[in-house]
Amino acid sequence: MIKNHPFYLNKTICIKVMILFFLFLPLSCKNDKKEDLKKDISVEKDDIKTKRSIDTEDLISKLYTISKKGFAIGHQDATSYGLNWKHEDSPEVIKSDVKEVSGKLPAVYGFDIGHIELNNTHNLDSVSFTTMRQLMIDAYKKGGIITVSWHADNPTSNGDSWDKTSTVSDIIKGGKHHDKYQLWVKRVADFLKSVEINNQPIPVVFRPFHEMNGSWFWWGEGNCSVEDYKTLWIETVNLLRDTHQLNNLLYAYSPNKLNPTDDYMKYYPGDEYVDIFGIDIYDFKDSEGFINSLQHDLAIVKEIAEQKQKPYAFTETGLETLSTPNWFTEVLYPNLENTGISWVLFWRNARPDHHYMPYKGHPIVDDFKAFEALPKTLFLEDLTN
Ligand code: BMA
C-alpha cells in the first residue's frame, strides 16, 4: 500500500486496528454465521463480482475439500427411480439402486429439468417436478450435492433437445423467439427458487447446454455458431443471476469427450459465467478408447481448472448395461484416483437396456462393492463423516 494512498494509516493505528480485528474476529464470525446465514453475500474475486448465498459459497469449499480426499460418487435420478421401482410408488421411503447394492447412498444427486420450460408437471423422463423438489431437498438435508442439467426443448421447432432445427440465433437478444426464451428461463428460475429450506433456495450446480462440442443437441456444434452459443450462455446466466436474483447456483461448463482437434475452451463463455469445469465421457464398450480419453481429457480439465482456480468434476459417465467385468475397479478407478476431480456422476438407471449403475442381482455388483471400499470413492456417509 503506498504512503500517499487515502487508506494509508500510520503504524501505531494499524497495529491497534489489527489487534482489535483479531480479538473480535471469532466472535463476529460466530454471530455473522448465525444472523446472516440467510443473507446474500457479495464476493469480489479477481475483479469479478458474483453474488452467492453463504451456503453456495460453502458448496465451493466443500468441493475443494472433497477433491483433496477423493471423489464423490453421483448418480443421475438416484432416488427418483431405478430398475423396477419409482419413488412415486412408495413416497415415504428413499430408495436408490446404489444403496441397494452397496449399502450407501450416493453423495451427488443429478436431476434434469427438461420440460420445466413448458410449464409441464413432469420432466422429459416422467419425473414429477414436485417429487424432484422433495428429493432435492431431502438429499441436500442429508449432506448431498445437487447437480441439475437441462434437456430443454427446441424453442423454434418445439421439438426436443435433439431436434437440430436452428434456434440459438432466434432466442438470444434480437432473435424472433427471444421473449419466449426469456419466459422459459423464468420458469427455470421459479423452479430452482422453489427448491428451498426456510425461504433460502438450496445450492445447486447448474449444468446447462452440456456436450456442446458434439452435434446432437440444438445448442451443439454445427447447429449454432460458437459466438451465439456463448451469447446464449451469458444471457441465460444474466437472467438467472441478475434479473431473477438467484444466489444459489454454480454454473458448470461441460463439453463432451474431446476429439483430437477439439479445443476444450472453444465454447467457454468467460470466467464470470462459469464456476466449475466439467467433462462428459462415456465408455461405448471400448475400455481402451475410454481410458485414453479419461487420461487425456481429465488432464486438460485439471490444468485449466487449476489455472482458473475453480473446482472441476467428471460431470457424466457410464458404461451402458455394465457389460465389462470389473469395470469399476479396473477400468474406471485407476484412471480417476489421482485426477483431483470433486465428483463423478453416473447416468440414469432407466431400463434393463439403459442403465449405468448396478442393481440387485446384476453380475457387476461385487465389483461395485469393491469400488465402494476403495479409499478415494466417497459416498454420502463418507462426506458427512
Ligand atoms: C439421455 C437418455 C434419455 C434421457 C435424457 C435426459 O442421455 O438417458 O433417455 O431422456 O438423457 O435424462
Side-chain angles (χ1 to χ4, degrees):
M1 197 180 278
I2 43 168
K3 263 193 175 181
N4 57 2
H5 189 279
F7 294 137
Y8 176 78
L9 299 172
N10 76 36
K11 213 174 162 187
T12 335
I13 298 177
C14 245
I15 291 168
K16 280 182 185 163
V17 169
M18 279 173 74
I19 291 172
L20 279 172
F21 177 75
F22 285 112
L23 265 178
F24 288 105
L25 184 67
L27 208 78
S28 70
C29 281
K30 213 172 161 190
N31 288 341
D32 278 359
K33 255 271 188 247
K34 264 191 198 160
E35 280 154 33
D36 295 346
L37 203 62
K38 306 297 167 213
K39 281 190 199 160
D40 299 347
I41 51 165
S42 288
V43 188
E44 294 278 356
K45 258 192 216 155
D46 304 324
D47 296 323
I48 296 163
K49 190 155 182 274
T50 60
K51 207 167 179 239
R52 303 188 194 110
S53 67
I54 290 178
D55 294 341
T56 311
E57 285 296 313
D58 284 350
L59 175 54
I60 298 186
S61 313
K62 187 167 171 168
L63 293 175
Y64 278 120
T65 311
I66 290 171
S67 71
K68 289 190 186 95
K69 296 186 188 298
F71 52 90
I73 301 300
H75 191 200
Q76 181 74 3
D77 288 339
T79 46
S80 309
Y81 54 79
L83 267 288
N84 300 320
W85 63 271
K86 51 179 195 283
H87 177 77
E88 280 156 27
D89 291 340
S90 1
E92 65 294 342
V93 279
I94 296 295
K95 215 171 137 79
S96 136
D97 283 344
V98 171
K99 173 142 196 238
E100 199 121 312
V101 298
S102 70
K104 290 181 172 179
L105 279 167
V108 177
Y109 295 78
F111 295 90
D112 196 282
I113 56 168
H115 291 182
I116 197 77
E117 71 279 5
L118 308 178
N119 214 12
N120 285 5
T121 55
H122 290 67
N123 84 345
L124 76 164
D125 301 317
S126 311
V127 179
S128 107
F129 286 110
T130 308
T131 300
M132 194 185 290
R133 181 187 296 112
Q134 287 161 356
L135 292 174
M136 285 174 166
I137 293 172
D138 177 83
Y140 178 70
K141 278 188 174 163
K142 289 176 174 149
I145 295 166
I146 312 301
T147 173
V148 166
S149 48
W150 183 23
H151 282 85
D153 271 6
N154 182 313
T156 298
S157 66
N158 296 317
D160 60 22
S161 297
W162 295 267
D163 181 326
K164 300 172 185 181
T165 307
S166 166
T167 185
V168 175
S169 56
D170 290 348
I171 63 177
I172 57 181
K173 253 176 220 151
K176 61 177 187 270
H177 292 306
H178 182 56
D179 289 352
K180 176 174 178 175
Y181 182 68
Q182 281 185 301
L183 173 65
W184 282 17
V185 176
K186 183 183 180 302
R187 288 175 176 156
V188 168
D190 288 347
F191 177 71
L192 293 175
K193 253 186 216 171
S194 77
V195 187
E196 43 94 4
I197 301 171
N198 299 332
N199 294 323
Q200 180 68 28
I202 65 168
V204 165
V205 175
F206 187 45
R207 196 170 64 89
F209 310 128
H210 61 301
E211 300 173 5
M212 74 304 279
N213 54 333
S215 58
W216 42 90
F217 295 128
W218 54 255
W219 56 83
E221 175 102 4
N223 306 323
C224 64
S225 73
V226 176
E227 271 326 295
D228 284 353
Y229 177 91
K230 290 183 188 175
T231 305
L232 174 65
W233 184 292
I234 291 167
E235 288 185 7
T236 304
V237 173
N238 284 342
L239 282 169
L240 294 170
R241 190 160 64 190
D242 303 331
T243 310
H244 300 298
Q245 297 276 300
L246 280 166
N247 62 4
N248 60 318
L249 302 185
L250 296 177
Y251 299 91
Y253 171 74
S254 162
N256 193 59
K257 169 184 104 69
L258 303 175
N259 287 318
T261 55
D262 280 357
D263 167 14
Y264 176 79
M265 296 298 265
K266 182 170 175 186
Y267 291 87
Y268 186 64
D271 294 345
E272 206 179 333
Y273 302 96
V274 171
D275 302 301
I276 296 173
F277 288 97
I279 192 145
D280 295 2
I281 310 171
Y282 281 84
D283 180 346
F284 292 102
K285 304 198 195 310
D286 164 23
S287 299
E288 203 185 313
F290 177 63
I291 290 170
N292 285 340
S293 285
L294 287 185
Q295 293 178 347
H296 176 263
D297 295 1
L298 287 174
I300 291 176
V301 177
K302 177 184 165 83
E303 191 187 330
I304 293 170
E306 284 178 354
Q307 181 210 331
K308 301 266 185 199
Q309 300 185 320
K310 296 178 195 277
Y312 57 102
F314 191 8
T315 39
E316 266 186 51
T317 191
L319 164 71
E320 197 177 43
T321 74
L322 294 163
S323 52
T324 306
N326 300 332
W327 185 76
F328 287 101
T329 55
E330 288 176 12
V331 178
L332 193 65
Y333 188 84
N335 294 293
L336 293 191
E337 62 177 331
N338 296 318
T339 55
I341 53 167
S342 290
W343 79 83
V344 53
L345 181 85
F346 296 92
W347 204 241
R348 64 198 199 104
N349 274 13
R351 306 178 299 269
D353 65 337
H354 187 51
H355 71 89
Y356 297 85
M357 277 297 205
Y359 51 87
K360 232 180 181 169
H362 192 286
I364 209 160
V365 163
D366 285 343
D367 182 60
F368 188 70
K369 282 188 189 162
F371 177 71
E372 181 277 311
L374 288 168
K376 298 273 179 94
T377 54
L378 305 174
F379 288 68
L380 185 69
E381 63 188 68
D382 305 317
L383 292 199
T384 46
N385 289 344

